Amino acid sequence: MARISSEMTMLFNLFLVLSLCCTVSTAERILKSRTPVLVPVPVSVSIGLKCKSVYGVKSGDNCLSVANMFNLTPEAFSSFNPNLNCDALFVGQWLCTKARDF
C-alpha cells in the first residue's frame, strides 16, 4: 500500500512539473509574439530642471493654491514637481516653487 502511495505521489509531482513547464513555455511564446508599445514622451518633460526654491505644505493647501501663491501656471508647477500626487498632499511636504535648467 505504501508503494502505491509513493508511486502516486511521484506521478502527481511529475504532472505538476510538466504543467509548470507548459505554462512557462506558453507565457514565453505569448510575450515574445507581442510587439512592443512605444509611448511618446512630450518634448517639455521636466528632465534637466533643478529646483531652486521650495515651499512646505500647510494645512488647507492644494496644488492650485500653491501654484497661485507663487504666480505659477499649473503646467509650470507640474513640471517643477513631476512625480507629485496632488490628491495626496500632506502637511510638511516640500514642493518645488522655482526651478531652472541645468
Side-chain angles (χ1 to χ4, degrees), residues 69-83:
M69 190 183 312
F70 292 92
N71 297 319
L72 298 171
T73 64
E75 293 78 17
F77 182 77
S78 292
S79 70
F80 296 170
N81 302 281
N83 297 320

Side-chain angles (χ1 to χ4, degrees), residues 50-70:
K50 183 175 182 180
C51 189
K52 297 306 259 174
S53 180
V54 294
Y55 169 78
V57 174
K58 294 180 176 47
S59 181
D61 285 343
N62 61 50
C63 287
L64 187 58
S65 69
V66 174
N68 288 338
M69 190 183 312
F70 292 92

Side-chain angles (χ1 to χ4, degrees), residues 7-62:
E7 289 174 353
M8 290 297 285
T9 301
M10 187 171 63
L11 285 173
F12 182 71
N13 287 339
L14 180 61
F15 172 76
L16 289 177
V17 169
L18 290 174
S19 296
L20 178 64
C21 289
C22 288
T23 303
V24 169
S25 175
T26 302
E28 284 179 342
R29 187 169 16 101
I30 289 171
L31 289 174
K32 286 181 181 178
S33 70
R34 291 187 179 170
T35 55
V37 177
L38 299 176
V39 179
V41 177
V43 176
S44 63
V45 173
S46 62
I47 297 172
L49 289 179
K50 183 175 182 180
C51 189
K52 297 306 259 174
S53 180
V54 294
Y55 169 78
V57 174
K58 294 180 176 47
S59 181
D61 285 343
N62 61 50

